[in-house]
Amino acid sequence: MARYTGPKNRIARRFGVNIFSRARNPMLHKPNPPGVHGAKRKKKSDYGLQLEELKKLSAVYGMISRKQIVRYFRKAQTSPMETPLAFIQQLECRLDSLVYRFRMAPTIFAAQQLVNHGHILVDGNRVDIRSFQVSPEQVITVKEKSQNRKDIKTSLEHLKDVPEYIEVDAAKFLGKLIVRPDIDQIPFPINIDVPLICEFLAHNS
């Protein structure tokens, strides 16, 4: 699975938010969207607004591909619960998403890298698939040999405002998903209309 390596600051400027929680906020240097006419954007059509929401969702979860998003949506359509909820729970319960929520990594991209490089254990077993679906009560830990990494320690030192659907023990490099979250419990860095995205995908996937 390919990892996004493109220009992250341009994406943050596009949405007007330091969406990736980067240490150097790109909005302080260049507050306008990228491009010659970035400061004078035209009003978007309904299709454009829906597509923009989809792109925001992709960015929040580490620039995952539209193909992956469609796959999650189609699976959500078969769920007995409401489609938007089933859809977003799959994204939020990805291993890389939770590693980031536990603050084992400072950004979603760093979380992806930690998983890919085998630094993360699920119930004591090494898992290097960042899309791995974590179930409630499963315990995620940093591999013992990796607990001395400066980036992991520094990130955990800034642990605060933990969402109510997870538990974190920074001293033990441990995190646990308590329950799958409701949409309004997820701390998105930018407002995202999940039902609108599902409506878009229902007609364009």
Side-chain angles (χ1 to χ4, degrees), residues 136-149:
E137 297 303 317
Q138 284 193 303
V139 176
I140 289 82
T141 54
V142 177
K143 190 170 63 174
E144 186 175 356
K145 291 183 179 179
S146 305
Q147 291 177 7
N148 288 324
R149 287 175 57 108

Side-chain angles (χ1 to χ4, degrees), residues 85-203:
L85 178 58
F87 170 65
I88 203 65
Q89 283 183 346
Q90 292 179 80
L91 289 162
E92 186 64 16
C93 294
R94 284 169 55 104
L95 181 56
D96 57 356
S97 298
L98 288 173
V99 167
Y100 175 53
R101 295 285 182 232
F102 298 149
R103 297 304 291 175
M104 293 172 179
T107 68
I108 184 62
F109 299 105
Q112 291 174 346
Q113 193 170 45
L114 284 182
V115 175
N116 284 344
H117 292 178
H119 297 291
I120 302 299
L121 306 179
V122 179
D123 290 340
N125 300 309
R126 179 177 176 270
V127 177
D128 59 7
I129 301 171
R130 63 178 187 258
S131 61
F132 176 86
Q133 286 289 300
V134 178
S135 299
E137 297 303 317
Q138 284 193 303
V139 176
I140 289 82
T141 54
V142 177
K143 190 170 63 174
E144 186 175 356
K145 291 183 179 179
S146 305
Q147 291 177 7
N148 288 324
R149 287 175 57 108
K150 183 178 179 180
D151 56 340
I152 296 175
K153 284 185 173 181
T154 301
S155 185
L156 282 169
E157 286 173 359
H158 292 87
L159 179 68
K160 61 180 180 179
D161 300 327
V162 176
E164 57 190 296
Y165 53 91
I166 63 173
E167 287 181 355
V168 183
D169 187 333
K172 295 182 179 179
F173 296 86
L174 178 152
K176 182 169 68 173
L177 175 67
I178 302 171
V179 64
R180 294 182 183 275
D182 289 328
I183 294 176
D184 60 3
Q185 293 178 308
I186 300 173
F188 293 126
I190 187 172
N191 189 40
I192 295 177
D193 191 333
V194 179
L196 187 64
I197 293 170
C198 289
E199 181 183 329
F200 174 80
L201 292 172
H203 295 93

Side-chain angles (χ1 to χ4, degrees), residues 7 10 13 20-21 24 35 59 62 75 79 87 106 188 191 201:
R10 286 178 62 86
R13 287 171 54 208
F20 302 128
S21 302
R24 296 183 64 183
K75 186 174 181 180
S79 171
F87 170 65
F188 293 126
N191 189 40
L201 292 172

